[in-house]
Amino acid sequence: MTERTGRAVVLEEFAEPLRLREFPLPAAPDGGMVVACGYGGVCGTDLHLQQGHLDIPVPLVLGHEGLGVIEELGAGTHQDAAGTPLAVGDTVMWASSIACGVCPPCRLHREPTLCERRRTYGVNRALTDGPELSGAWADHIVLQPGTTVIKVPDGTDPLAAMSLACAGPTVAHALYERRPVRLGETVVVQGSGPVGLAAAAFAQLAGAAKVVVVGGPAGRLDRAAAAGIGDVHLNIADAADPTEVLREVRAATGGDGADLVIECAGVPAAVGQGLTLARRGGSYLIIGQYTDAGDTLINPHQIVHRQLDVIGSWAFTGAHLVEYVRLLPALTSRFDLASLVTPFPLEQHADALTAVADGSVMKAVLTS
């Protein structure tokens, strides 16, 4: 019998070109499954991983966001996170991380996103740990028991689902657990990448009266507007005078500032700017600084004078992925999410990374 194999994009050395390699495709583990991973999202974090900005083991298969079709189920009874029976042929998404359940954040603090021993597909599952096919930038992925898997609603466009595959659950955590959007609020979103657009779209669904997106470059803001995401779009990335754009943002909120400002830019300097965009008594929710991009100057007086609640939000759990998938029918009926995605064949992974790095695409997705 011919040995089954799968292809995958491997990070072998930091700051070096990635390689498309072939690996044996093992049988599904007990309690787990093998998924034909048709779609693997390219996240901004992947750029940082490739450059060595985060402490991860190499070599490994990249890709922490994916969607695919179940090809083989391991021994045991299989249901998704919502209790729906799973079968070969079902289309599913899966949470990237499995929390250990026993460290202090998991056991005592009820904060599984802060788990000290999280195992994350495409991030810290090295080839030597096995199985090699443990990332979504591949034509197959082996999902271990304990992975949160959720069936995708029938009729969902896979590209639409992948548009916010990491950003959506990340924002679900931030807006559900950390600081919800309240009915009638004015919201400013800093950043017009996938996380920023997820925050803006979720704020609109939650009943915000006005959502102002401040970001850039112009092409990204145009795509957001065309997709129906955000009410006002202001370009600070290309501005000769950012101070003038900040004045425009405040004017768009009515002059007093936003009830809630959500930082999704990932640029340290955005934090100092964002503190000045919230109204007195408002909130500043920081999602974007996932990678340590360095220090920045802020004026603490802005926090005290405005009496701000400043809140951070880190990553997401399987429950937040479930919330995102449940919201997909509402999201896709209101917003043209598929228009945000540019697909690339697995073989063109280098082109996809380049396009994400230079901002020429909103969301790159590898297909196989």
Side-chain angles (χ1 to χ4, degrees):
M1 179 183 290
T2 303
E3 182 182 52
R4 297 193 307 162
T5 60
R7 299 178 307 149
V9 178
V10 179
L11 170 61
E12 296 184 333
E13 295 183 51
F14 297 126
E16 294 294 331
L18 307 176
R19 282 188 58 201
L20 185 60
R21 292 175 53 182
E22 197 166 283
F23 298 98
L25 183 60
D30 291 352
M33 63 189 70
V34 173
V35 175
C37 185
Y39 303 87
V42 182
C43 178
T45 300
D46 292 313
L47 296 176
H48 294 292
L49 296 176
Q50 193 266 340
Q51 290 298 316
H53 297 163
L54 292 167
D55 183 19
I56 62 169
V58 291
L60 58 74
V61 175
L62 286 171
H64 58 274
E65 47 181 275
L67 180 151
V69 175
I70 297 174
E71 191 168 286
E72 181 185 346
L73 292 168
T77 302
H78 291 271
Q79 297 178 328
D80 76 355
T84 303
L86 290 174
V88 170
D90 285 343
T91 299
V92 295
M93 298 181 77
W94 54 92
S96 52
S97 295
I98 303 176
C100 74
V102 296
C103 69
C106 285
R107 188 179 68 251
L108 299 178
H109 306 147
R110 298 181 296 281
E111 291 285 3
T113 62
L114 304 182
C115 173
E116 296 169 355
R117 293 189 288 274
R118 280 201 312 168
R119 299 299 309 281
T120 303
Y121 295 108
V123 175
N124 64 4
R125 290 181 174 270
L127 295 184
T128 53
D129 296 339
E132 295 93 346
L133 293 168
S134 293
W137 291 10
D139 55 22
H140 289 80
I141 185 170
V142 181
L143 299 182
Q144 300 299 318
T147 305
T148 298
V149 176
I150 183 72
K151 191 173 177 180
V152 176
D154 292 340
T156 302
D157 182 341
L159 292 182
M162 288 302 301
S163 66
L164 305 175
C166 180
T170 298
V171 172
H173 175 215
L175 295 187
Y176 188 86
E177 312 264 2
R178 305 298 291 154
R179 202 312 193 158
V181 174
R182 298 169 184 136
L183 288 173
E185 286 193 318
T186 298
V187 177
V188 167
V189 176
Q190 295 176 276
S192 51
V195 176
L197 297 197
F202 282 28
Q204 287 173 274
L205 282 186
K210 179 186 280 189
V211 176
V212 180
V213 179
V214 52
R220 286 194 164 196
L221 294 171
D222 291 343
R223 273 198 160 184
I229 299 175
D231 301 303
V232 179
H233 305 82
L234 297 172
N235 187 346
I236 198 168
D238 299 326
D241 182 7
T243 303
E244 177 56 34
V245 178
L246 295 175
R247 281 195 287 267
E248 291 181 46
V249 176
R250 283 189 287 270
T253 68
D256 294 329
D259 300 292
L260 172 63
V261 180
I262 310 174
E263 187 281 312
C264 305
V267 179
V271 176
Q273 296 173 345
L275 292 173
T276 71
L277 299 177
R279 67 166 172 83
R280 297 190 76 181
S283 300
Y284 191 49
L285 175 61
I286 304 175
I287 308 175
Q289 308 292 323
Y290 189 85
T291 302
D292 187 349
D295 297 332
T296 187
L297 290 174
I298 65 168
N299 182 347
H301 173 69
Q302 294 293 339
I303 299 173
V304 176
H305 171 70
R306 295 172 190 275
Q307 195 168 290
L308 297 183
D309 292 326
V310 180
I311 304 142
S313 186
W314 174 261
F316 65 90
T317 69
H320 304 119
L321 173 70
V322 173
E323 289 162 6
Y324 169 64
V325 172
R326 283 176 167 169
L327 278 174
L328 278 173
L331 286 165
T332 55
S333 68
R334 181 163 178 178
F335 308 111
D336 186 5
L337 296 186
S339 70
L340 305 176
V341 175
T342 303
F344 292 82
L346 202 59
E347 295 82 1
Q348 294 179 16
H349 54 85
D351 296 335
L353 271 177
T354 299
V356 171
D358 65 23
S360 60
V361 300
M362 176 67 75
K363 179 66 181 181
V365 173
L366 298 179
T367 61
S368 58

